[in-house]
Amino acid sequence: MSDLLTYAYAVVRNAEGLRETTAPLRGVADSPVSLVTDTGDDQLGLVVSHVPGQDFQEDALKQHLEDLEWLEAVARAHHGVIEALAERTTVLPLRLATVYLDDNRAREVLEAGRTMFAERLARLSEHVEWGVKIYVEPSAAPAAPAVPAADLTPGRAYLRSRRQQQSVRDTVYQAAQKAAERVEAAGRKHASDRVRHRVQQGLLADAAGAVGENVVNDAYLVPLKRCDDFLADVTHAADGLDGVRVEATGPWAPYSFAMPLDESGGAAAAEGAPP
């Protein structure tokens, strides 16, 4: 077995000039990027590079995935390649750390999925992904007018204060629901599809520098010609709603709308498992 494995970034339409685009790119482990094509359909390509087997075999990969610094470096390199490709052609991004024994095995996977990949690329053509997050910040909402508590015991005053705080929180969460409905309406009007992601909490929220509590984390597949209208509606979704913030990010390659090559993860692919 070679000391190198084939790392796959994306399935692409083999557009004119694509090989020239990939030639200067450096991917994961600072490895040169190249294009593996389908022998039966030269319109499809799999963008790959070669990575050390000692880092991407199943056992090693499981350990590395617990190393946030290593994972971030791989994710940045992976994303950089895909973003460069997306400027040139339609891209079907693959799951992080999708690896195969060699280029021949990668080509077999590409050829076996020829019809599905072509259909998926056709669906994603002329589309980009936009992320929409909604945050609630109860502290940013105006507090209820203070009521004199001179005639209350400390315990009753505390309970009333807590009830007032809860009332503000309830109002803010209701406002967030209204903002979510406005965003969904914009999606129905302008987008082709939507994916609901788990809200960001804990380390993910800290890493993103989030302010407030993330209560909605959606991705929308939007035709290029509808992006301006979609963003105009989304950015106004929190208008008049105290304590609610809507954040749109993008445009991205359509990560959330791509199908992985296999259901068992990149490590399984590296061991030669079928997609």
Side-chain angles (χ1 to χ4, degrees):
M1 180 183 295
S2 171
D3 292 335
L4 295 176
L5 296 173
T6 296
Y7 184 109
Y9 298 88
V11 179
V12 297
R13 280 183 169 170
N14 191 7
E16 182 178 354
L18 186 60
R19 288 189 182 277
E20 290 74 16
T21 297
T22 59
L25 295 179
R26 310 292 291 193
V28 174
D30 198 35
S31 57
V33 173
S34 60
L35 186 67
V36 171
T37 55
D38 181 343
T39 55
D41 182 358
D42 61 5
Q43 294 304 303
L44 286 180
L46 189 61
V47 179
V48 305
S49 65
H50 299 116
V51 295
Q54 62 186 15
D55 289 331
F56 286 88
Q57 291 290 351
E58 185 173 8
D59 291 342
L61 187 57
K62 286 180 180 179
Q63 294 181 9
H64 280 312
L65 292 178
E66 301 297 324
D67 181 344
L68 293 182
E69 184 175 343
W70 184 91
L71 188 59
E72 181 181 4
V74 171
R76 286 184 181 278
H78 184 97
H79 177 69
V81 171
I82 289 175
E83 289 301 297
L85 295 169
E87 293 180 2
R88 174 68 65 174
T89 187
T90 304
V91 177
L92 180 62
L94 301 181
R95 184 189 305 168
L96 192 72
T98 296
V99 288
Y100 295 94
L101 292 176
D102 52 32
D103 287 4
N104 287 332
R105 175 58 182 147
R107 182 175 288 105
E108 290 173 2
V109 171
L110 181 65
E111 293 174 352
R114 180 184 303 156
T115 300
M116 183 271 289
F117 292 141
E119 291 174 351
R120 179 65 55 153
L121 284 167
R123 176 173 176 266
L124 298 180
S125 180
E126 300 297 317
H127 284 72
V128 291
E129 176 175 331
W130 287 92
V132 181
K133 295 183 176 68
I134 298 179
Y135 297 90
V136 294
E137 303 173 59
S139 61
V147 178
D151 57 339
L152 297 179
T153 65
R156 289 183 177 276
Y158 170 78
L159 290 175
R160 185 169 66 183
S161 175
R162 293 289 293 173
R163 284 195 296 269
Q164 289 173 340
Q165 292 174 5
Q166 186 61 48
S167 177
V168 171
R169 288 182 62 83
D170 290 345
T171 299
V172 169
Y173 280 97
Q174 290 170 6
Q177 178 61 39
K178 188 170 185 177
E181 292 169 357
R182 292 175 179 175
V183 170
E184 290 172 6
R188 289 192 296 271
K189 185 176 180 182
H190 304 296
S192 300
D193 202 356
R194 178 186 72 172
V195 169
R196 310 218 78 160
H197 292 304
R198 184 180 303 175
V199 297
Q200 292 185 328
Q201 297 175 323
L203 291 176
L204 284 177
D206 294 341
V211 177
E213 179 188 352
N214 181 211
V215 294
V216 170
N217 183 16
D218 289 350
Y220 286 87
L221 184 66
V222 184
L224 289 174
K225 62 184 180 181
R226 303 301 295 270
C227 285
D228 289 345
D229 292 334
F230 174 76
L231 288 177
D233 287 352
V234 166
T235 54
H236 290 292
D239 287 0
L241 303 175
D242 293 322
V244 178
R245 177 167 56 89
V246 176
E247 177 183 282
T249 58
W252 313 113
Y255 289 93
S256 299
F257 303 90
M259 294 175 61
L261 288 182
D262 61 88
E263 295 300 326
S264 54
E271 294 299 317

